[in-house]
Amino acid sequence: MFPVLQSNLPYLLQGAVYTVILSAIVVSCGTALGVGIGVLASVGGAILRSIITAYIFLFRGVPVLVIMFLGFYSFPALGLRLDAYTAVAISMIVYVGAFVAEATRGAIAGVPTGQTEAAKSLGMRKGKMMREIVLPQAMRLVIAPVLNISLMAIKQTSYASIVGAWELSFAAREVVERTLAAFQIFLGVMLIYFIICYPLSLAARALDKRLAFDS
Amino acid sequence: MKNGFLSKLRSVFAGALATMVVAGAAHAQETSRLDELLSRGKLIVGVSSESPPFGFVDEKGELVGFDIDIAKLIAKATFGDETKVEFVRQSAAQRWPNAQNGTIDFGAQTTSIYADRAQKVAFTRSYIDGGVVMIVRKDAPFQKLADFNKSDVTIANLTTPTQEERAKRLFPSAQIATFDGIAAQFNAVKLGRAQGAQLDGPVAAWYVKQNPDMRVIEERLTDVVNTGIFMKPGDFRLWQYLDLTVSEMTGGYLFADYSKIYEKWFGTKPLNVKWYLNQPQK
């Protein structure tokens, strides 16, 4: 049963390790960036808010592959000699950040107004109100969308192979070029991606149920 | 007042420009990527990991192939140690930006020399003959190139402009399908999505050896083309050094090493570029 896949599985799994590392970097940094920007958008002034809106719209409206190409080809033009892996990671962090920022902004807006009004009537300052009342509740609301964005990001790391960053999809292509067994190899690759993503989808679904406010 | 200011500005600019030109000229004479790689103690070479038998990943997961061995031979000639080389795996499209922006010292990636490419990168002389052939299923009715020029025939191309131009010129009536890898091209023909695929001669020979249900059309699509090592243009010392190394490989003191590599991957002995050395011994 699938002899080519069996003999090349160790090589594919090496690629999977790179996919997991790249995903972890992109998801963690992208989430941190996005949450930061989302909070800024909720507390900052009008100018800052419009800049952030532009950033969110720009990156949400462009395919991640195009962002990767731009990152890959523009860093050398700026005099930075980055390897493909770093270029892809940076491009994807900025891309994922835009999605997380939008989710964060939505979550902050989704905290019931009664909460902020109560805080105000207790005489809380804006910063303290944000830190102690709004953000803890908003973070609850943001976890589920962030998990969904993470799933999207993990799957999008497969585009990294197109600009030469070696990971699971690149390894798969290399094996296919030698063996021509496209069906077997990509079937295996599909399973590996599924194994990486499935726990996250389960977590997303469970959290969705647990963290939803009773309305 | 305004004019005085402008002319002052202009002279300042002219002075700055002159300084830059002089500094630039001195700079160009002094530094070469050759010095950089010699002090670094290893080569950084752009290769394909998806073009057997030139550069591909074997069953053990090692990067192997003719181009890989050529790069190792250059490392051996340069540092006396064939392991002093770091490989950058790049797609066909990434060859040019990687050479131009200094990601690699040079590329050895079955790259045919064409004028439009030679405007983007500098090429050494040829280190192996190339040429494009058409590959078909063994049971297909095609015998010569003219047989492909029909509206119900699809030609599988690689994403290079030269292949597209060639297909349109030779087979104006045929359909064209474009793929980003050789395996995809090959599989398209194997599965009947396309009837013929344009492949490099040695690559086609390697695949057909592994797939007895495929064959190569005898009539070639091109004359013999040259395959060069390519690098960032404008670095004369590096270019001269690499061109010299290639000349020694194909007809000088490195020919014995080169022959071993050639025979390992293609099963035949290469001819020395010095034609009089190839005469049968009397």
Side-chain angles (χ1 to χ4, degrees):
Chain A
M1 192 70 176
F2 302 137
V4 182
L5 176 58
Q6 279 176 29
S7 59
N8 289 291
L9 197 58
Y11 189 70
L12 293 178
L13 290 174
Q14 278 176 39
V17 170
Y18 277 79
T19 289
V20 170
I21 294 170
L22 181 61
S23 303
I25 292 169
V26 166
V27 166
S28 56
C29 299
T31 303
L33 178 76
V35 168
I37 289 176
V39 171
L40 271 182
S42 309
V43 298
I47 296 172
L48 186 66
R49 206 172 298 181
S50 55
I51 292 172
I52 290 171
T53 305
Y55 156 74
I56 289 174
F57 270 91
L58 182 71
F59 281 89
R60 288 186 60 188
V62 178
V64 69
L65 185 59
V66 176
I67 303 286
M68 278 187 199
F69 273 126
L70 280 174
F72 183 77
Y73 290 117
S74 65
F75 288 128
L78 301 171
L80 288 166
R81 246 194 238 175
L82 298 176
D83 61 294
Y85 212 75
T86 315
V88 163
I90 293 171
S91 308
M92 279 195 75
I93 286 166
V94 176
Y95 185 80
V96 168
F99 282 82
V100 176
E102 182 65 11
T104 307
R105 209 160 60 163
I108 289 171
V111 173
T113 45
Q115 299 284 326
T116 45
E117 277 164 14
K120 268 184 200 153
S121 64
L122 288 171
M124 272 196 188
R125 289 223 176 79
K126 221 178 170 177
K128 193 173 179 184
M129 185 169 85
M130 199 73 194
R131 264 198 320 275
E132 296 187 4
I133 308 293
V134 179
L135 279 185
Q137 297 182 63
M139 286 307 105
R140 259 178 77 150
L141 290 173
V142 101
I143 287 174
V146 162
L147 279 176
N148 285 324
I149 293 163
S150 306
L151 277 174
M152 171 193 87
I154 293 169
K155 288 181 286 192
Q156 284 173 342
T157 57
S158 61
Y159 295 143
S161 61
I162 296 175
V163 293
W166 191 82
E167 39 65 76
L168 177 52
S169 293
F170 200 144
R173 271 185 14 213
E174 287 173 334
V175 173
V176 169
E177 292 295 332
R178 185 185 73 245
T179 59
L180 300 172
F183 177 72
Q184 282 186 49
I185 296 300
F186 280 108
L187 194 74
V189 167
M190 185 181 87
L191 282 172
I192 295 173
Y193 273 115
F194 181 75
I195 290 165
I196 296 171
C197 291
Y198 189 60
L200 270 178
S201 356
L202 282 183
R205 186 180 294 177
L207 283 168
D208 247 344
K209 283 208 182 87
R210 277 196 39 200
L211 296 176
F213 287 114
D214 298 326
S215 45
Chain B
M1 180 74 203
K2 199 173 169 188
N3 277 347
F5 173 70
L6 268 183
S7 67
K8 215 179 272 174
L9 199 65
R10 207 176 289 145
S11 64
V12 167
F13 264 111
L17 200 64
T19 317
M20 278 199 284
V21 169
V22 172
H27 189 77
Q29 276 166 8
E30 280 164 22
T31 59
S32 160
R33 182 90 182 199
L34 183 61
D35 301 317
E36 189 186 321
L37 71 87
L38 287 173
S39 63
R40 186 198 307 137
K42 69 171 182 195
L43 305 173
I44 300 177
V45 186
V47 294
S48 171
S49 58
E50 302 173 88
S51 312
F54 287 94
F56 66 106
V57 176
D58 70 3
E59 291 82 357
K60 294 193 213 80
E62 304 281 334
L63 191 58
V64 296
F66 178 79
D67 280 339
I68 309 295
D69 285 350
I70 290 292
K72 286 179 176 168
L73 178 54
I74 297 173
K76 189 175 151 189
T78 308
F79 307 110
D81 181 351
E82 67 162 33
T83 62
K84 296 274 185 256
V85 50
E86 178 190 321
F87 291 106
V88 174
R89 300 173 185 197
Q90 52 188 27
S91 70
Q94 284 176 299
R95 289 178 290 191
W96 324 122
N98 281 356
Q100 286 162 340
N101 68 33
T103 306
I104 56 174
D105 296 333
F106 61 87
Q109 197 167 342
T110 54
T111 304
S112 306
I113 301 174
Y114 297 112
D116 62 329
R117 292 175 173 181
Q119 292 158 20
K120 286 185 278 197
V121 293
F123 278 107
T124 63
R125 67 192 66 190
S126 181
Y127 65 102
I128 186 169
D129 288 347
V132 178
V133 296
M134 194 67 119
I135 165 171
V136 295
R137 289 181 63 97
K138 202 166 209 154
D139 51 24
F142 306 105
Q143 293 307 331
K144 50 190 195 305
L145 294 185
D147 299 346
F148 291 94
N149 192 15
K150 298 194 183 79
S151 59
D152 60 346
V153 171
T154 304
I155 308 288
N157 284 354
L158 199 62
T159 44
T160 62
T162 43
Q163 286 212 357
E164 189 186 357
E165 180 278 323
R166 194 182 302 119
K168 283 187 174 149
R169 181 163 42 83
L170 295 171
F171 318 112
S173 308
Q175 310 291 316
I176 290 174
T178 308
F179 298 92
D180 72 339
I182 303 167
Q185 270 181 294
F186 190 94
N187 273 333
V189 178
K190 200 170 167 145
L191 301 169
R193 290 170 186 269
Q195 282 64 52
Q198 297 188 58
L199 294 184
D200 194 58
V203 175
W206 193 87
Y207 274 128
V208 168
K209 207 163 65 184
Q210 323 265 330
N211 295 269
D213 56 338
M214 305 290 281
R215 65 186 167 88
V216 174
I217 298 281
E218 292 245 344
E219 192 185 346
R220 297 171 79 95
L221 279 74
T222 57
D223 290 328
V224 167
V225 296
N226 291 307
T227 311
I229 284 171
F230 59 94
M231 70 213 77
K232 186 180 181 164
D235 189 337
F236 177 74
R237 287 181 52 218
L238 177 67
W239 171 82
Q240 191 189 32
Y241 178 78
L242 289 171
D243 184 64
L244 195 89
T245 312
V246 170
S247 140
E248 292 303 326
M249 285 195 290
T250 55
Y253 85 99
L254 294 170
F255 184 70
D257 288 326
Y258 172 82
S259 293
K260 268 198 214 100
I261 295 170
Y262 192 100
E263 211 172 345
K264 172 176 162 190
W265 294 107
F266 303 113
T268 54
K269 282 193 188 307
L271 292 177
N272 195 303
V273 289
K274 294 206 164 86
W275 57 268
Y276 48 85
L277 295 177
N278 297 318
Q279 302 303 316
Q281 300 298 316
K282 292 206 170 81

